[in-house]
Amino acid sequence: HTNEKTAYDLTLEGGTPIPPFQQGYLKSYIRTAKARFGDQVFDIFAGSANQTELEENIVAAYDKVKRQIERQEAKVMRVQEASGLNFEETKTTTSTTTKTTTTR
């Protein structure tokens, strides 16, 4: 038995559905992920024995963060599209910035 409580089909006054992700969530998530990556790189520099190990560890950390960001972007898009809500979010990936608007 868990104490987890889940609510479905929540609406604002007037019947408008509450968006599962608030405006700016994705931007905040990406900013936090990049900051954590900076912390990881600092730790990698402090603990690497040689240049090759340093480079390999930084690339591995970058790839991991990039995958996490891409998964979260896809999740937010899927949830928003499935909910039928209108939203606009700026997607900031590692090399591009695009503005995505979804309307249902």
Side-chain angles (χ1 to χ4, degrees):
H1 173 67
T2 66
N3 288 334
E4 184 177 322
K5 296 178 183 181
T6 305
Y8 298 95
D9 299 323
L10 296 176
T11 60
L12 299 171
E13 188 175 339
T16 305
I18 295 176
F21 296 100
Q22 296 299 314
Q23 192 71 19
Y25 164 78
L26 196 54
K27 185 177 180 180
S28 176
Y29 177 88
I30 292 169
R31 185 175 45 246
T32 301
K34 288 179 178 181
R36 282 191 207 124
F37 171 70
D39 289 344
Q40 290 173 341
V41 169
F42 185 86
D43 293 342
I44 290 168
F45 267 99
S48 294
N50 60 53
Q51 185 69 25
T52 303
E53 180 184 348
L54 174 74
E55 291 171 5
E56 289 172 355
N57 290 339
I58 290 173
V59 169
Y62 171 82
D63 289 342
K64 181 179 177 184
V65 169
K66 184 176 180 205
R67 279 191 312 274
Q68 290 171 338
I69 289 171
E70 289 170 348
R71 275 196 309 268
Q72 195 66 12
E73 287 173 336
K75 178 181 177 181
V76 169
M77 292 299 293
R78 276 192 320 272
V79 168
Q80 292 289 6
E81 288 173 358
S83 70
L85 299 174
N86 298 334
F87 90 108
E88 193 171 289
E89 182 75 66
T90 301
K91 241 174 87 168
T92 307
T93 58
T94 52
S95 61
T96 62
T97 300
T98 57
K99 193 170 198 173
T100 304
T101 303
T102 303
T103 306
R104 293 238 172 197

